[in-house]
């Protein structure tokens, strides 16, 4: 079974900083890698999807990369804002299942 | 109208009760999913449906019974649950159950407390 690990588990940064969230996975035969955001008590919002044939995807201040050979993905957030505070989850798709990490809880302080 | 709608948002039930969670997707997708999110654990896939046919049952106890009457609706019937089943239950949908380009969309979830 695909195992997904996210580091760090929690992160606190001052507003304006650039930051990187890390995700590693054990099975390089993934179909895609998705990054999600989850606000407290809410469902998941899809941020970026990187297909297995792609190396990165960008949306606004977010950039996600994928290195299948090393089993790693990163989510880069530029110029962080307090509204970015949430839990960020990565998930690797193998077959029907999305296998999730436990998430990184991000706090951006004003 | 949000893409994936779940009801109820909150549910408290006794261990001998029977209740159901409902999910509806307005995205024209062919695949629907139930996930469970417990404290301190990663999201766990429970069931996958493709065009109303169950294609994956991830070793879920029989006290959880899914039903997919059509490609837009998904239910999770609950019967004789245990306190450890208390969790956030998330419904999701995607265009197809597999495929590298398919984004999966989640609902807001149903918070279940078993007393």
């Amino acid at each position: 079974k695909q195992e997904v690990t996210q580091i760090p588990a929690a992160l606190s940064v001052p507003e304006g900083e650039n930051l990187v969230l890390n995700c590693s996975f054990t099975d390089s035969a993934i179909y895609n890698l998705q990054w999600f955001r989850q606000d407290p008590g809410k469902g998941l919002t899809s941020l970026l999807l990187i297909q297995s044939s792609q190396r990165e995807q960008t949306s606004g201040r977010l950039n996600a990369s994928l290195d299948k050979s090393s089993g790693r993905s990163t989510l880069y957030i530029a110029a962080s804002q307090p509204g970015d505070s949430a839990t960020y989850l990565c998930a690797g798709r193998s077959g029907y299942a999305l296998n999730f990490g436990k998430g990184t809880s991000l706090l951006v302080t004003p | 109208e949000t893409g994936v709608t779940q009801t109820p948002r909150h549910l408290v039930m006794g261990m001998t009760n029977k209740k159901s969670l409902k999910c509806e997707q307005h995205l024209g997708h062919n695949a629907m999913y139930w996930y469970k999110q417990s404290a301190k654990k990663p999201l766990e896939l429970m069931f996958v449906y493709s065009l109303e046919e169950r294609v994956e049952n991830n070793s879920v106890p029989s006290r959880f019974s899914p039903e997919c009457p059509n490609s837009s609706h998904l239910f999770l019937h609950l019967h004789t649950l245990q306190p450890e089943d208390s969790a956030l239950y998330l419904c999701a949908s995607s265009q197809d159950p597999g495929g590298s380009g398919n984004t999966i969309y989640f609902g807001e979830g149903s918070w279940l407390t078993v007393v």
Side-chain angles (χ1 to χ4, degrees):
Chain A
K1 183 193 170 188
Q2 174 82 265
E3 299 288 335
V4 180
T5 304
Q6 291 188 247
I7 295 173
L11 181 63
S12 180
V13 300
E15 180 177 7
E17 272 203 9
N18 303 324
L19 59 101
V20 175
L21 307 181
N22 296 293
C23 173
S24 61
F25 48 93
T26 55
D27 183 2
S28 62
I30 57 171
Y31 294 172
N32 62 43
L33 192 292
Q34 277 190 249
W35 283 92
F36 296 87
R37 168 184 173 141
Q38 186 174 30
D39 293 286
K42 302 286 190 177
L44 278 65
T45 300
S46 180
L47 298 174
L48 289 164
L49 179 149
I50 311 174
Q51 297 186 43
S52 60
S53 58
Q54 298 173 328
R55 298 280 295 189
E56 65 177 325
Q57 284 287 330
T58 298
S59 176
R61 293 181 295 108
L62 306 179
N63 176 276
S65 68
L66 175 64
D67 185 342
K68 285 182 60 180
S69 61
S70 66
R72 293 182 182 179
S73 177
T74 61
L75 179 66
Y76 175 82
I77 302 177
S80 58
Q81 303 170 357
D84 295 329
S85 299
T87 297
Y88 291 80
L89 297 156
C90 73
R93 185 165 197 137
S94 302
Y96 297 128
L98 266 182
N99 297 292
F100 283 84
K102 292 186 179 180
T104 294
S105 179
L106 173 65
L107 176 64
V108 181
T109 56
Chain B
E1 183 91 64
T2 56
V4 181
T5 305
Q6 291 188 241
T7 56
R9 292 297 317 281
H10 299 271
L11 177 63
V12 179
M13 60 185 290
M15 290 193 290
T16 58
N17 291 159
K18 289 183 182 180
K19 297 286 184 182
S20 297
L21 306 181
K22 178 184 176 182
C23 176
E24 182 175 3
Q25 59 96 359
H26 311 275
L27 300 168
H29 289 164
N30 295 321
M32 296 188 76
Y33 312 77
W34 280 115
Y35 278 86
K36 175 183 178 182
Q37 187 175 34
S38 306
K40 308 292 185 183
K41 294 174 69 174
L43 271 82
E44 302 170 74
L45 177 67
M46 300 177 72
F47 301 104
V48 181
Y49 276 82
S50 175
L51 295 171
E52 302 124 57
E53 178 183 348
R54 191 190 312 178
V55 295
E56 182 132 337
N57 176 345
N58 203 26
S59 302
V60 179
S62 60
R63 57 186 184 269
F64 295 92
S65 175
E67 178 190 2
C68 188
N70 56 63
S71 59
S72 298
H73 293 86
L74 185 65
F75 295 88
L76 188 62
H77 304 299
L78 314 170
H79 176 52
T80 58
L81 295 191
Q82 304 298 312
E84 59 265 29
D85 295 322
S86 299
L88 177 65
Y89 289 84
L90 290 160
C91 174
S93 72
S94 67
Q95 183 57 50
D96 298 295
S100 64
N102 291 321
T103 298
I104 186 166
Y105 296 88
F106 283 82
E108 291 285 282
S110 293
W111 283 99
L112 173 66
T113 302
V114 182
V115 297

